[in-house]
Amino acid sequence: MLAHVGPHCIFGEMALITNKPRSASARAVRNTVCFVINAQDFRTRLGEVSPFMQVIVRVLAENVRQSNSQIDAATRRIRSQERVLDAARKGAEAEDPARQPKARSSKGVVRGE
């Protein structure tokens, strides 16, 4: 999950601005009313702003998209490294007799000490 959005928030706009596939999907956790604008209507509205501002909006959206991609890649690397570390810790514990749980007799007396 990337984010929770609430009333009056928008999502999906970057795909309209950059003309690239959506980078995420949305799922409502309660009854929700959404306003939908199709790509053609969005382009018409964007065309009403100055060309300079259109470029600024596109550059900003592309920068956010690239940042999201870098964060996603870094998160995947970290999770992969965490799995390797967890496996190494489990292997070290299995090889170190001092870390092994001591066997107990049925009377609660520790054996092997």
Side-chain angles (χ1 to χ4, degrees):
M1 176 178 37
L2 295 175
H4 279 103
V5 294
H8 312 290
C9 290
I10 60 171
F11 58 92
E13 74 287 353
M14 288 188 30
L16 293 170
I17 294 167
T18 62
N19 292 319
K20 294 184 178 174
R22 291 186 317 265
S23 58
S25 58
R27 182 179 60 140
V29 295
R30 60 184 60 118
N31 289 342
T32 304
V33 176
C34 294
F35 174 78
V36 178
I37 183 167
N38 66 39
Q40 184 57 47
D41 289 342
F42 184 83
R43 282 189 209 90
T44 299
R45 297 278 180 128
L46 189 58
E48 295 170 1
V49 238
S50 75
F52 175 77
M53 290 308 296
Q54 291 177 33
V55 170
I56 295 294
V57 167
R58 286 190 179 104
V59 168
L60 290 172
E62 191 56 45
N63 289 346
V64 169
R65 182 181 286 278
Q66 288 176 0
S67 294
N68 286 345
S69 179
Q70 291 170 346
I71 291 167
D72 187 48
T75 301
R76 285 194 308 271
R77 285 192 304 272
I78 290 168
R79 287 184 181 147
S80 175
Q81 292 169 353
E82 286 173 340
R83 286 190 294 273
V84 170
L85 285 172
D86 286 344
R89 283 187 196 113
K90 289 177 183 174
E93 289 172 0
E95 293 175 7
D96 185 358
R99 292 180 168 232
Q100 296 295 319
K102 299 189 187 297
R104 296 194 176 268
S105 71
S106 60
K107 295 180 182 178
V109 178
V110 175
R111 287 185 262 160
E113 289 187 337

